[in-house]
């Protein structure tokens, strides 16, 4: 037992130790860190509830202006009557593409403004007549300002589609009798478009408020050029119901047609809004037309590619006589269980009646025939002649539900961040944080959102006619929120499930927003005519299954496109190591461009690249291998397995297509052993809304980054730095955050002609110390899910490969407009300039040393890496798989031609100029591995950074020496 005096001395000693520990903690921080902590004691706190809902949404804009009238007047603004242009070269065109009069051509950068008089204040729809002149083959994008101000967020991303068609009138076949996917080419036409939500969340065109008197409209170019004929302010007419149209038919004496049935094949579409909407192949049923039991037939259209709101396909129909017709659609919708895929029908550019604004195609596991109107079909009056039938993707009745859930996700994420500010990322489950007192609005929001989400679930069940897993997600979230209100003391214990459920709502938005539909054919028929059956008989199905099984032993479905006989001397074999979609696109490009131009035949094979070296050693390898990782060319060059491309006279000319940073990983022993295909480097992503909420500035330098870290961490938010290697990389590459700091200090990874590591230099030691300090002093996380944490706002700032932009654009619609990417932080120089060096990774194409026809292989490599081919491949991949597949080409000129918004490409271009390549050297795989080991030693065990790095440099140098000796390379 301690006496009183002993306990007193012990207590004072403990207090003294704690005080000393606190002091030493601050002493261990750099001066910059101490300054940051001092400055971040009181970051800007938002007022209660100030930022959890977006104020710039169209719904808020309409609520504010709903009291205004909708004048029944029309204001026509001619394109050529613009008043000012800014940073744009405009051109006034006369009688352009069949129009009478003048029009103005606008570029993809800058802005153009019109001034006009409005006699009556109110809300107006705005229509634009435009012509999509040649650009980068993507949809045109503009930002609309009224009187110099952005009215709402949706007006910042107005999209204007292009029109596409099959290049050839008939579908061609390869030399094995299979249909080839027809190439899509642009067919530009004049189009009139009402300005409306490009995401499809609002079915009606936007309404804009114009004051009485002088007004201005400014169109700011974001992407692609366009010619503008006129802008019209007016009121969109209400579409009559079918009953009203039917009464009009009777009044005019229209008669029903007798004894007629016409089929319009889906694959024979005239125009499409995107190059993705090409004919596709369906072999699931013998009822598809045309059908072949063993060969590939492009016999349907749409499918998963035809899923985004606003996409449309049109068909031309020749009607033999005037009269009333019914319409049927043979379709397959087997992707949205518990939902329907909605379409809007337009005939000759107009919706015939109200019911055609939202045609639901319900889930069915096989083909079905939908007669529009059901047992009492709708009738359409068509005079004799050619008519355009167009189907456009729409969200229909689920659009308001999506808007509601998206608002809910933003509000629930806001509360999640507020809770984290109180509890931290790992709450104590046994502590009562009294969250309802610290966050007064929390329970009110939970209660309100629970009711809102329950209502959405009920409405979704009513609209779709069933309860499903889609409503279950909503009910789970709503129940949890309801239970939080009843038992607030349990919130911190269930924070993880809350976060998962909110993430589930975000996924629900993505799922419901996609509306895939596949069409085999239309049927235009007399009202009393019997419609064809959509499915095959049991006997024909059985014959189909047996025949397909039999032909699977004969037909080679893995071979892509035309096949050349081995005895053909002017042919090469190319291996590609990515997906079938990429291979099919490439093969079609080879067959319609490369082979006709060069008379060189190509056998393209889809293989796993890990068999490349064994196959080469066995003499069974290809002539050319594509999309191989950056470490392969040098590793194969050491073994004399790949050809040195500098042997070709025009190599230096071809090399100008790329930056030196892309070629560097393929340099070895005075030669270059690959041509770059892709080059990926890092950019900094940040949440604009959160930075504004807390009054933070986007850091331009590492010092500024250190200054804002405490402000983020005080609110339990974090910075994301790249740590784990990309999943597709077999070898651990040098960490990207470290190489940024190293290169910005003018450091290097290797020295003495790549015979030893240069990480023993003072610059390397400083860079390593700065890198590890972020994890030891600032406690950055070692493992994290950046995409999800960026969406929730837990990580409002992070550095990632620029392809993360594509991921966010597609998978995080609820934060569109709330984030940006910029150049990475840099190091300030004595003259005040900022160095922003960053490393890169990528893929390359190689020619094997055993290639029988090296000249032909070199022609293929030159063709493949050329600007036009890279642009076409990039556009077709994006067309095929969406914006998430935007191609990160290494060709300098090609990247300019890919459909990046102008301001985003400018950021990319600025950062690309600072990119440095990471050299590949014999034994270099130890560099990334032991750099990571040294990092873990410092972070996990508290070892001095200089000592830890020095310890592992020995292993790196030993491995480089061993490898150079193994391959008879100079050691000094």
């Amino acid at each position: 037992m301690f006496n009183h005096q002993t306990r007193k001395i012990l207590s004072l000693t403990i207090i003294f130790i704690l005080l000393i520990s606190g002091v030493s903690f601050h002493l261990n921080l750099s001066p910059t860190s101490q300054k940051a902590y001092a400055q971040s004691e009181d970051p800007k706190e938002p007022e209660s509830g100030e930022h959890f809902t977006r104020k710039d949404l169209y719904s808020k804009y309409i609520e504010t202006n709903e009291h205004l009238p909708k004048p029944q007047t029309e204001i026509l603004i001619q394109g050529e009557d613009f008043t000012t242009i800014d940073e744009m070269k405009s051109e006034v065109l006369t009688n352009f593409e069949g129009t009478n009069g003048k029009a103005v051509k606008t570029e993809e950068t800058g802005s153009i403004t019109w001034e006009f008089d409005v006699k009556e204040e109110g809300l107006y729809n705005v229509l634009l007549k435009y012509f999509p002149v040649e650009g980068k083959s993507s949809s045109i994008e503009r930002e609309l300002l009224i009187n110099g101000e952005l009215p709402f967020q949706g007006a910042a991303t107005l999209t204007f589609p292009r029109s596409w068609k099959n290049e050839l009138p008939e579908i061609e076949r390869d030399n094995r009798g299979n249909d080839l996917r027809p190439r899509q080419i642009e067919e530009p036409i004049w189009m009139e478009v009402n300005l409306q939500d490009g995401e499809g969340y609002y079915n009606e065109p936007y309404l804009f408020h114009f004051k009485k008197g002088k007004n201005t409209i400014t169109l700011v170019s974001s992407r692609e050029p366009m010619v503008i004929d006129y802008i019209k302010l007016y009121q969109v007419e209400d579409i009559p119901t079918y009953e009203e149209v039917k009464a009009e038919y009777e009044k005019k004496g229209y008669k029903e047609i007798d004894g007629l049935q016409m089929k319009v094949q889906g694959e024979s579409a005239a125009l499409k809004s995107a190059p993705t909407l090409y004919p596709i192949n369906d072999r699931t049923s013998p009822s598809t037309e045309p059908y072949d039991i063993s060969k590939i037939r492009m016999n349907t259209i749409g499918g998963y590619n035809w899923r985004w709101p606003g996409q449309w396909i049109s068909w031309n129909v020749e009607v033999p006589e005037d009269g009333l017709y019914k319409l049927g659609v043979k379709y397959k919708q087997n992707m949205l269980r518990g939902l329907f895929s909605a379409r809007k029908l337009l005939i000759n550019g107009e919706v015939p009646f109200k019911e055609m604004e939202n045609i639901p195609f319900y889930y069915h596991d096989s083909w079905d025939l939908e007669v529009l109107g059901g047992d009492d079909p709708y009738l359409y009056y068509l005079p004799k002649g050619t008519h355009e039938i167009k189907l456009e993707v729409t969200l229909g009745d689920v659009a308001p539900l999506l808007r509601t859930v998206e608002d809910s996700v933003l509000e629930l994420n806001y509360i999640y961040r507020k809770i984290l500010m109180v509890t931290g990322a790992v709450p104590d489950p046994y502590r009562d944080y009294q969250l309802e007192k610290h966050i007064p609005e929390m329970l009110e929001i939970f209660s309100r959102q629970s009711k809102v989400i329950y209502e959405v679930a009920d409405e979704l069940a009513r609209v779709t006619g069933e309860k499903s897993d889609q409503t279950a997600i909503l009910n789970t979230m709503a129940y949890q929120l309801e239970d939080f209100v009843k038992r607030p003391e349990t919130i911190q214990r269930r924070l993880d499930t809350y976060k998962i459920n909110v993430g589930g709502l975000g996924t629900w938005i993505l799922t419901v927003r996609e509306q895939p539909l596949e069409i085999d054919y239309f049927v235009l028929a007399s009202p009393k005519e019997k419609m064809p059956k959509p499915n095959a008989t049991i006997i024909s199905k059985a014959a189909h299954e047996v025949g397909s099984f039999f032909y699977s032993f004969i037909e080679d479905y893995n071979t892509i496109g035309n096949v050349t006989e081995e005895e053909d001397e002017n042919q090469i074999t190319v291996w590609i190591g990515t997906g079938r979609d990429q291979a099919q696109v490439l093969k079609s490009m080879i067959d319609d461009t490369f082979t006709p131009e060069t008379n060189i035949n190509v056998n393209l094979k889809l293989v796993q690249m890990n068999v490349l070296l064994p196959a080469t050693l066995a003499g069974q390898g290809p002539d050319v291998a594509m999309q191989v990782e950056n470490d392969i060319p040098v590793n194969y060059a050491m073994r004399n397995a790949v050809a040195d491309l500098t042997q070709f006279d025009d190599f230096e000319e071809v090399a100008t297509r790329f930056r030196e940073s892309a070629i560097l990983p393929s340099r070895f022993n005075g030669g270059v052993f690959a041509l770059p295909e892709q080059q990926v480097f890092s950019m900094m992503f940040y949440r604009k809304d959160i930075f504004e909420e807390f009054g933070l500035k986007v850091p331009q330098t590492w010092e500024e980054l250190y200054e804002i870290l405490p402000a983020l961490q005080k609110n339990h938010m974090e910075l994301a730095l790249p740590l784990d290697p990309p999943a597709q990389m077999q070898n651990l590459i040098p960490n990207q955050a470290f190489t940024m700091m190293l290169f910005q200090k003018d450091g290097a990874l290797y020295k003495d002609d790549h015979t030893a590591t240069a990480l023993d230099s003072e610059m390397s030691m400083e860079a390593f110390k700065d890198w590890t300090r972020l994890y030891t002093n600032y406690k950055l996380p070692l493992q994290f899910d950046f995409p999800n944490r960026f969406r929730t706002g837990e990580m409002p700032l992070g550095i990632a490969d620029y392809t993360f932009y594509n991921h966010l654009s597609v998978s995080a619609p609820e934060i569109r407009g709330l984030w940006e990417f910029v150049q990475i932080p840099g190091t300030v120089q004595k003259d005040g300039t900022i160095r922003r060096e960053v490393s890169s990774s990528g893929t390359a194409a190689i020619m094997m040393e055993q290639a029988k026809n090296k000249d032909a292989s070199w022609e293929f490599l030159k063709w493949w890496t050329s600007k036009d081919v890279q642009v076409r491949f990039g556009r077709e991949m994006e067309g095929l798989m969406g914006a998430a597949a935007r191609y990160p080409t290494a060709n300098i000129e090609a990247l300019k031609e890919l459909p990046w918004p102008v301001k985003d490409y400018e950021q990319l271009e600025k950062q690309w100029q600072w990119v440095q390549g990471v050299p590949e050297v014999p034994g270099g795989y130890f560099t990334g591995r032991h750099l990571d080991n040294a990092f873990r030693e410092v972070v996990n065990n508290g070892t001095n950074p200089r000592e830890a790095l020095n310890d592992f440099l020995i292993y790196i140098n030993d491995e480089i020496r061993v490898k150079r000796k193994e391959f008879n390379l100079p050691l000094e």
Side-chain angles (χ1 to χ4, degrees):
M1 296 292 293
F2 292 123
N3 60 30
H4 178 74
Q5 188 67 23
T6 304
R7 285 198 300 270
K8 185 175 181 181
I9 293 171
L10 183 59
S11 300
L12 290 171
T13 303
I14 292 172
I15 292 171
F16 177 74
I17 291 171
L18 289 172
L19 287 171
I20 291 297
S21 300
V23 172
S24 64
F25 171 73
H26 285 286
L27 288 175
N28 283 333
L29 292 176
S30 67
T32 302
S33 304
Q34 294 181 31
K35 175 185 174 186
Y37 269 93
Q39 289 180 344
S40 65
E41 288 300 317
D42 295 302
K44 177 186 173 184
E45 291 285 352
E47 296 177 10
S48 177
E50 181 186 357
H51 288 285
F52 57 76
T53 56
R54 296 183 67 169
K55 307 299 181 186
D56 60 351
L57 296 177
Y58 176 65
S59 56
K60 305 289 184 185
Y61 179 79
I62 288 299
E63 284 177 15
T64 304
N65 296 293
E66 62 183 354
H67 64 283
L68 295 171
K70 297 179 180 178
Q72 298 299 314
T73 57
E74 186 176 294
I75 301 170
L76 195 65
I77 307 163
Q78 297 295 339
E80 67 272 15
D81 293 338
F82 61 89
T83 51
T84 59
I85 57 172
D86 186 28
E87 298 182 356
M88 175 190 291
K89 290 181 181 179
S90 64
E91 182 182 355
V92 176
L93 307 172
T94 304
N95 299 332
F96 180 74
E97 292 291 336
T99 58
N100 294 322
K102 297 180 178 180
V104 61
K105 180 181 178 182
T106 62
E107 296 180 326
E108 69 170 356
T109 57
S111 63
I112 182 168
T113 301
W114 295 264
E115 187 177 82
F116 55 94
D117 282 317
V118 174
K119 294 182 179 179
E120 187 178 353
E121 181 180 13
L123 296 174
Y124 294 83
N125 297 118
V126 177
L127 176 142
L128 190 77
K129 183 179 180 182
Y130 72 98
F131 188 91
V133 290
E134 184 178 356
K136 299 176 182 177
S137 300
S138 66
S139 294
I140 300 158
E141 194 171 295
R142 292 293 184 269
E143 178 180 358
L144 176 74
L145 307 178
I146 296 176
N147 299 319
E149 295 183 356
L150 182 70
F152 46 85
Q153 186 269 336
T157 54
L158 298 170
T159 56
F160 304 88
R162 297 177 177 274
S163 52
W164 301 79
K165 68 175 185 178
N166 294 350
E167 183 179 31
L168 300 173
E170 301 294 331
I171 294 176
E172 294 188 311
R173 292 181 180 171
D174 62 23
N175 58 8
R176 294 178 298 134
N178 294 312
D179 282 1
L180 295 171
R181 179 169 61 83
R183 183 187 176 195
Q184 303 299 295
I185 60 170
E186 194 172 348
E187 177 74 358
I189 57 173
W190 282 103
M191 288 185 271
E192 289 186 335
V193 172
N194 287 304
L195 304 189
Q196 58 189 43
D197 180 29
E199 301 291 329
Y201 286 4
Y202 298 90
N203 294 321
E204 302 297 328
Y206 284 143
L207 285 165
F208 298 90
H209 171 218
F210 292 94
K211 64 181 182 180
K212 184 177 181 180
K214 293 285 184 184
N215 286 267
T216 63
I217 282 180
T218 301
L219 286 179
V220 182
S221 298
S222 303
R223 186 164 57 187
E224 300 281 42
M226 70 191 300
V227 174
I228 299 172
D229 187 4
Y230 58 76
I231 300 172
K232 183 166 71 174
L233 277 61
Y234 75 122
Q235 300 298 327
V236 174
E237 293 183 3
D238 291 335
I239 300 173
T241 64
Y242 179 67
E243 287 301 320
E244 293 170 333
V245 170
K246 188 177 179 181
E248 191 69 18
Y249 290 164
E250 294 173 357
K251 183 179 177 181
K252 293 183 177 179
Y254 293 154
K255 301 297 183 182
E256 296 181 0
I257 296 297
D258 286 327
L260 180 69
Q261 184 184 101
M262 299 170 54
K263 280 186 180 179
V264 181
Q265 295 297 330
E267 65 273 13
S268 63
L271 292 173
K272 311 108 178 186
S273 63
T276 52
L277 304 178
Y278 45 74
I280 57 177
N281 165 242
D282 178 85
R283 298 185 66 248
T284 61
S285 169
S287 69
T288 50
E289 300 178 4
Y291 164 75
D292 191 288
I293 196 168
S294 64
K295 302 299 183 183
I296 293 174
R297 294 288 175 258
M298 297 297 168
N299 50 12
T300 68
I301 199 167
Y304 189 65
N305 292 347
W306 193 26
R307 67 189 187 277
W308 298 114
Q311 286 184 325
W312 53 261
I313 303 175
S314 70
W315 295 261
N316 290 332
V317 182
E318 187 70 29
V319 174
E321 58 180 301
D322 300 355
L324 296 173
Y325 297 80
K326 67 179 179 180
L327 186 63
V329 183
K330 182 184 175 184
Y331 76 96
K332 183 164 66 173
Q333 197 282 91
N334 60 350
M335 297 183 186
L336 290 179
R337 185 185 293 271
L339 295 168
F340 56 77
S341 187
R343 293 297 182 270
K344 178 165 65 175
L345 173 70
L346 298 95
I347 298 178
N348 300 323
E350 295 184 355
V351 179
F353 39 86
K354 191 74 175 176
E355 288 79 357
M356 293 297 95
E357 282 193 309
N358 179 25
I359 306 169
F361 292 90
Y362 290 93
Y363 177 87
H364 204 277
D365 59 2
S366 62
W367 289 98
D368 198 5
L369 185 73
E370 175 73 14
V371 179
L372 304 186
D375 295 334
D376 184 15
Y378 298 129
L379 301 181
Y380 307 84
Y381 175 73
L382 299 175
K384 181 180 179 181
T386 302
H387 297 273
E388 180 197 55
I389 294 179
K390 180 189 289 186
L391 283 179
E392 181 180 322
V393 183
T394 179
L395 293 176
D397 292 338
V398 301
L401 306 183
L402 280 169
R403 296 200 304 268
T404 302
V405 173
E406 189 168 286
D407 289 344
S408 298
V409 169
L410 284 173
E411 196 166 18
L412 294 174
N413 274 335
Y414 164 81
I415 288 297
Y416 177 68
R417 294 197 301 272
K418 296 287 283 186
I419 293 172
L420 286 183
M421 292 176 193
V422 177
T423 65
V426 186
D428 182 349
Y430 303 107
R431 177 181 170 187
D432 184 1
Y433 289 92
Q434 297 185 323
L435 292 172
E436 63 272 26
K437 293 183 180 179
H438 290 288
I439 313 171
E441 70 269 33
M442 180 185 70
L443 294 184
E444 184 276 325
I445 290 174
F446 283 166
S447 176
R448 174 164 45 81
Q449 286 297 344
S450 176
K451 294 174 184 176
V452 165
I453 297 173
Y454 269 135
E455 290 172 0
V456 169
D458 292 342
E459 180 64 14
L460 183 64
R462 186 193 68 78
V463 166
T464 59
E466 63 175 315
K467 290 187 177 182
S468 64
D469 55 339
Q470 303 299 333
T471 55
I473 295 169
L474 299 170
N475 284 321
T476 299
M477 182 80 255
Y479 174 78
Q480 184 179 47
L481 295 176
E482 183 182 34
D483 198 48
F484 278 172
V485 176
K486 295 177 181 176
R487 300 186 297 156
E489 71 280 0
T490 67
I491 292 175
Q492 70 269 16
R493 294 202 299 270
R494 295 190 285 166
L495 207 53
D496 280 344
T497 57
Y498 172 74
K499 177 184 173 182
I500 291 169
N501 288 336
V502 175
L505 284 187
T507 304
W508 181 90
I509 293 172
L510 289 176
T511 302
V512 175
R513 185 169 165 260
E514 295 182 355
Q515 303 276 304
L517 184 71
E518 188 173 357
I519 289 180
D520 187 6
Y521 56 73
F522 286 94
V523 180
L524 198 65
S526 305
K528 296 178 183 177
E529 192 74 11
K530 188 176 180 180
M531 290 297 216
K533 292 183 178 181
N535 280 315
T537 62
I538 295 175
I539 295 175
S540 60
K541 283 182 179 180
H544 167 73
E545 295 297 334
V546 172
S548 296
F549 175 74
F550 174 76
Y551 277 106
S552 68
F553 295 98
I554 302 172
E555 294 283 346
D556 181 7
Y557 295 112
N558 293 319
T559 303
I560 297 168
N562 291 322
V563 175
T564 308
E565 299 297 331
E566 290 187 7
E567 53 267 21
D568 186 346
E569 294 182 359
N570 204 27
Q571 64 97 14
I572 60 173
T573 299
V574 176
W575 284 9
I576 184 171
T578 53
R580 175 165 290 273
D581 288 332
Q582 289 90 332
Q584 288 177 332
V585 168
L586 177 60
K587 182 58 176 174
S588 66
M589 291 170 59
I590 291 169
D591 289 344
D592 66 33
T593 306
F594 177 70
T595 299
E597 288 176 359
T598 63
N599 200 31
I600 298 170
N601 294 307
V602 177
N603 286 335
L604 184 67
K605 296 184 178 180
L606 184 61
V607 298
Q608 292 290 333
M609 280 301 167
N610 55 7
V611 304
L612 179 59
L613 188 58
T616 301
L617 294 174
Q620 301 297 316
D623 299 291
V624 172
M626 300 172 55
Q627 297 183 352
V628 299
E629 296 171 6
N630 271 354
D631 62 310
I632 286 181
V634 167
N635 279 318
Y636 281 33
M638 291 185 293
R639 296 166 172 83
N640 297 316
V642 292
D644 179 5
L645 303 182
T646 59
Q647 64 183 286
F648 298 100
D649 294 338
D650 52 352
F651 170 79
E652 292 301 329
E653 179 186 347
V654 173
T656 60
R657 299 172 178 176
F658 319 101
R659 297 187 188 273
E660 172 57 27
S661 57
I663 298 177
L664 181 63
S666 303
R667 290 192 181 277
F668 173 70
N669 216 18
V672 176
F673 293 87
L675 288 184
E677 292 177 312
Q678 301 178 30
Q679 187 176 18
V680 178
F681 50 88
S682 294
M683 298 285 288
M684 183 165 66
F685 294 79
Y686 75 99
R687 285 283 297 270
K688 295 192 296 183
D689 55 334
I690 296 176
F691 269 61
E692 180 183 344
E693 181 178 329
F694 290 98
L696 301 173
K697 292 183 179 179
V698 180
Q700 297 297 315
T701 66
W702 291 105
E703 295 299 313
E704 291 180 6
L705 181 69
Y706 300 147
E707 288 180 14
I708 70 167
L709 274 177
L712 292 175
Q713 292 177 332
K714 180 177 179 181
N715 294 290
H716 298 288
M717 293 184 288
E718 294 171 323
L719 164 73
L721 280 185
L723 192 60
D724 293 329
Q728 73 272 19
M729 303 298 267
Q730 294 180 1
N731 294 317
L732 197 62
I733 61 175
N735 181 270
Q736 295 178 57
F738 169 73
T739 53
M740 292 175 206
M741 297 175 174
L742 176 67
F743 293 157
Q744 289 173 18
K745 294 180 185 294
D746 215 18
L749 290 169
Y750 304 102
K751 62 183 179 180
D752 300 334
D753 199 21
H754 296 171
T755 59
T757 181
L759 296 182
D760 56 356
S761 68
E762 189 59 34
M763 292 170 291
S764 302
M765 293 296 174
E766 286 297 319
F768 185 73
K769 180 181 177 183
D770 290 344
W771 176 42
T772 55
R773 189 180 67 182
L774 286 166
Y775 296 88
T776 54
N777 288 2
Y778 292 99
K779 305 299 180 184
L780 294 191
L782 296 176
Q783 291 184 331
F784 50 86
D785 181 358
F786 185 42
N788 279 330
R789 299 184 77 177
F790 189 76
R791 287 175 69 177
T792 62
E794 296 170 83
M795 283 184 161
L797 181 67
I799 294 174
D801 286 345
Y802 80 78
T803 52
F804 184 55
Y805 176 103
N806 308 336
H807 175 84
L808 284 178
S809 299
V810 174
S811 65
E814 74 274 13
I815 58 170
R816 67 188 186 280
L818 297 181
W819 60 271
E820 282 185 350
F821 73 164
V822 293
Q823 297 180 77
I824 64 163
T827 302
V828 181
Q829 304 302 295
K830 292 180 180 179
D831 61 358
T833 58
I834 300 176
R835 293 182 59 167
R836 300 181 188 270
E837 281 92 342
V838 62
S839 63
S840 66
S841 59
T843 63
I846 56 178
M847 180 196 306
M848 310 309 294
E849 183 62 40
Q850 67 181 18
K852 297 175 183 177
N853 192 338
K854 289 186 178 176
D855 288 334
S857 299
W858 175 239
E859 288 299 320
F860 178 80
L861 286 177
K862 289 194 297 182
W863 171 83
W864 167 238
T865 58
S866 65
K867 170 195 165 184
D868 291 343
V869 173
Q870 287 286 290
V871 169
R872 179 180 166 190
F873 182 78
R875 290 177 181 174
E876 293 212 19
M877 287 312 303
E878 186 165 349
L880 181 69
M881 304 172 72
R886 186 166 297 157
Y887 187 60
T889 178
N891 187 299
I892 301 170
E893 295 299 319
L895 190 68
K896 290 181 183 178
E897 298 298 319
L898 293 180
W900 286 94
V902 174
K903 65 181 181 66
D904 295 328
Y905 172 74
E906 288 174 350
Q907 291 290 339
L908 272 180
E909 175 62 26
K910 289 177 183 176
Q911 186 61 69
W912 203 4
Q913 294 173 7
W914 289 103
V915 172
Q916 282 200 27
V918 176
E920 293 289 341
V921 304
Y925 49 83
F926 259 35
T927 301
R929 187 181 307 174
H930 285 301
L931 182 65
D932 185 70
N933 288 339
F935 170 83
R936 306 284 175 179
E937 181 68 28
V938 173
V939 174
N940 296 335
N941 300 330
T943 306
N944 179 275
R946 185 179 294 270
E947 292 178 5
L949 186 57
N950 270 323
D951 288 345
F952 285 99
L953 294 184
I954 299 169
Y955 300 110
I956 297 174
N957 278 327
D958 284 347
E959 187 67 15
I960 292 175
R961 191 179 305 110
V962 166
K963 282 296 176 186
R964 295 189 73 86
K965 186 176 180 181
E966 178 184 344
F967 294 102
N968 297 317
L969 298 170
L971 297 177
E972 293 181 359

